[in-house]
Each structure stands twice: as structure tokens, then as C-alpha cells.
Amino acid sequence: MKRHIKYITAFAVMAAVAVTSFPHFEADAKTLTELQNERSELAKQTQEAQQKLKEAQQKQADVEAEIAAMDDVINAAQTELDSAQADLDDVTARLEASQKALEEATQKRDQQLVTFSGRMRFFYENSRLSYLDILLHSESFSDMLRRIQYIDDIMSYDNNMLNELTETQNEIKTRTEEIEA
């Protein structure tokens, strides 16, 4: 029995050492009400988070709608700009064509004036000879018919030259008005 006492004493000492050497834990048991309160609080936080998520999604949708509306406005403005640019290009092309036509008509008029003024100078310097004198100095009837034909050709040429000069002057006037408008 002595032996048993030794064993029991040794066992008691070991148990005492073992109990004192382990850290002390308190039971942190929460009551059912506290757990339900925590659960309610967590549910409330989850609901608030979901509400904030919905609000953020709505804001995102609103921003996307605004961006789409702005894109439509920009596209419409770009279309108008493209149309205006096309109109400007067309007007510029017509203006350049009118300016070129004006320059050509001015050069043509200058050439016609030189020719016409030379003809008028010739008639002025040789004014002693009239159409009637030319006809009266005919040697025969056939010579007179030929001279009538020459006079008619000269008069037609002079009338055509004067008509061309008038047309050219009208074209210059029209082109100048187009350019100024």
C-alpha cells in the first residue's frame, strides 16, 4: 500500500503541475439573445451594403445614360460639322472656278479690245473710203456683187466681234457678282 500511496501522490502532483502549467481559458459563452443581436446587426449591415451597391449601380447607369446622350450630341454636332465642311468645300470650289473663269474672260476681253480698237483705228484712219464709194467704183455687175459680199462679210465680222465683246463683258460682270456674293 505504501506503494500505492506513492503512485497516488505522484499522480496528484503531476495533475497539480499539469493543471497549473496550462493557460487558463475562460468560457466565453454568449447568450442566445446576444447571438441573435449580432445576427440582426450583421443582417442590417448586409442590407445597408446591398442598398449602397444598388445606389452605386443606379449612379453608374445614370452616368452611362449621360455619356450615351453626350455621344449622341457629339455625333449630331460632328454630322453638322461634316455637312458644313462639305458646303464650304463646294462653295470654295465654285469660287475658285468663278475666279478662274473671270481671269479667262478678262484676258479674252483684253484681246478682243485690242483687236476691236485696231479695227476702229483702221476705219478712222481710212475714213475717206466709204462703203458706197467701194460699190460705186465697181467695174462690172459681178464685181459689184463681189464687193457687196465683201462688205457684208466685213460688217458681219465686226458685228460678231462686238457681240463677243458684249458677251465677254456680261460674263465678267456675272463672275464678279458671284465672287462678291
Side-chain angles (χ1 to χ4, degrees):
M1 209 162 219
K2 239 183 173 189
R3 239 178 154 178
H4 278 290
I5 293 183
K6 261 186 178 184
Y7 282 119
I8 291 178
T9 309
F11 182 71
V13 171
M14 279 186 0
V17 170
V19 170
T20 57
S21 66
F22 285 116
H24 221 181
F25 293 109
E26 282 185 33
D28 194 16
K30 296 184 178 179
T31 65
L32 180 61
T33 307
E34 289 175 340
L35 290 174
Q36 286 177 342
N37 287 343
E38 280 184 29
R39 181 176 178 207
S40 296
E41 186 63 32
L42 288 174
K44 183 179 176 184
Q45 289 175 358
T46 302
Q47 190 176 22
E48 289 174 1
Q50 287 176 344
Q51 183 62 31
K52 287 180 182 180
L53 177 63
K54 284 182 183 178
E55 289 173 2
Q57 288 172 339
Q58 183 60 41
K59 284 181 183 179
Q60 180 182 2
D62 292 346
V63 168
E64 288 174 355
E66 284 183 41
I67 289 172
M70 287 180 186
D71 283 345
D72 290 344
V73 169
I74 289 171
N75 289 337
Q78 185 63 43
T79 302
E80 284 184 38
L81 179 63
D82 291 344
S83 176
Q85 185 63 43
D87 291 346
L88 178 62
D89 291 345
D90 182 51
V91 168
T92 301
R94 287 187 297 160
L95 178 63
E96 289 173 357
S98 291
Q99 287 174 334
K100 184 177 180 183
L102 176 62
E103 289 173 14
E104 291 172 358
T106 303
Q107 289 175 355
K108 183 178 178 182
R109 181 198 58 194
D110 292 345
Q111 291 172 350
Q112 289 172 338
L113 283 175
V114 167
T115 303
F116 190 72
S117 64
R119 297 267 306 139
M120 292 298 110
R121 186 173 38 246
F122 175 78
F123 282 132
Y124 179 74
E125 290 172 357
N126 296 312
S127 63
R128 356 181 195 142
L129 190 60
S130 69
Y131 291 131
L132 186 61
D133 288 336
I134 292 172
L135 291 177
L136 292 177
H137 284 92
S138 301
E139 295 178 5
S140 67
F141 185 72
S142 64
D143 184 38
M144 185 174 79
L145 289 176
R146 191 172 24 88
R147 288 179 183 221
I148 288 174
Q149 183 62 43
Y150 289 155
I151 290 171
D152 187 48
D153 289 347
I154 290 171
M155 290 176 78
S156 293
Y157 178 78
D158 289 344
N159 280 336
N160 285 340
M161 191 184 316
L162 188 58
N163 287 339
E164 285 179 14
L165 184 61
T166 303
E167 288 175 12
T168 304
Q169 191 62 35
N170 288 339
E171 183 179 354
I172 289 172
K173 181 181 176 186
T174 301
R175 296 298 179 174
T176 303
E177 289 172 355
E178 285 177 5
I179 290 172
E180 290 175 355

